[in-house]
Amino acid sequence: QQPVQSPQAVILREGEDAVINCSSSKALYSVHWYRQKHGEAPVFLMILLKGGEQKGHEKISASFNEKKQQSSLYLTASQLSYSGTYFCGTRTNSGAGSYQLTFGKGTKLSVIP
Amino acid sequence: DTAVSQTPKYLVTQMGNDKSIKCEQNLGHDTMYWYKQDSKKFLKIMFSYNNKELIINETVPNRFSPKSPDKAHLNLHINSLELGDSAVYFCASSPLAGGVETQYFGPGTRLLVL
């Protein structure tokens, strides 16, 4: 089951903040965040596994809510290098030890001077 | 040293042909994946292998057949190529299976079927 990402696109001026959300109707086992620049491969940002978890990487951080159905990616004081498409990837359990790995449709972030 | 490499980088071919894409990782990871990214940038997992064993096999046409000769290699063979197969195919690897560890992506193979 594909997670829902919002917004689909956002334009920021350098120094502004943004939040990207990733939601699921089912509890998630894990959430990954990736950034993909045009013509390049997705690059891992961070992974969250526990409800209520928050993680940070310089000015980019993420949270996973207690119910494990929503994760948010926070980009603060954005830089031009933050431009790209951000994807959340999720694992949901299907029962009997099996699971699914799916990605959201992506959020295109453009940072302008 | 490239962590996850794919060949070829670009592949242009005619409908009906058979082609292969190769992937190698030198990270010592146990798990490898194939993803398809279509023109709308939607990223979808196709297959996953853990220690040469198929563990994820999503609903893809059986014209697509993965092969893992050893845990450092995962190749993708596509028979009877169709226009809709045009996409970027990414190989990835992770230390363990289960979606609980970082996935490292290769540079992608851009396939265009004419």
Side-chain angles (χ1 to χ4, degrees), chain A residues 7-67:
Chain A
Q8 288 184 353
V10 58
I11 300 175
L12 299 176
R13 291 202 177 272
E14 268 187 295
E16 289 182 340
D17 301 341
V19 180
I20 300 170
N21 296 306
C22 177
S23 298
S24 171
S25 57
K26 287 174 65 171
L28 301 167
Y29 191 89
S30 65
V31 176
H32 304 209
W33 285 98
Y34 294 84
R35 176 170 60 213
Q36 184 179 29
K37 292 187 180 281
H38 182 70
E40 297 181 9
V43 173
F44 172 80
L45 294 175
M46 64 191 82
I47 181 171
L48 299 107
L49 297 169
K50 297 178 184 173
E53 185 175 9
Q54 294 199 10
K55 268 190 178 177
H57 174 70
E58 295 181 345
K59 293 178 184 174
I60 299 175
S61 61
S63 65
F64 200 8
N65 76 346
E66 287 288 348
K67 283 189 176 179

Side-chain angles (χ1 to χ4, degrees), chain A residues 1-2 32 34 89-91 99-104, chain B residues 31-38 41-49 54-61 64 74 76 88-94 97-99 103 105:
Chain A
Q1 190 170 9
Q2 186 181 20
H32 304 209
Y34 294 84
T90 62
R91 167 179 161 170
Y99 57 90
Q100 286 185 307
L101 299 178
T102 51
F103 280 77
Chain B
T31 308
M32 296 184 73
Y33 310 81
W34 276 112
Y35 286 91
K36 178 181 179 180
Q37 188 170 44
D38 61 23
K41 305 298 182 191
F42 179 35
L43 201 57
K44 185 173 169 23
I45 191 168
M46 300 173 71
F47 304 102
S48 177
Y49 271 73
L54 182 65
I55 57 168
I56 293 178
N57 185 4
E58 292 294 328
T59 309
V60 300
F64 290 80
L74 180 61
L76 183 66
V88 182
Y89 292 83
F90 287 103
C91 175
S93 73
S94 64
Q103 290 190 33
F105 282 77

Side-chain angles (χ1 to χ4, degrees), chain B residues 2 8 14 21 27 32 35 64 69 75 77 80 88 94 103 107 114:
Chain B
T2 306
Q14 300 283 337
I21 307 172
L27 297 166
M32 296 184 73
Y35 286 91
F64 290 80
N75 304 323
H77 188 75
S80 305
V88 182
S94 64
Q103 290 190 33
L114 302 173

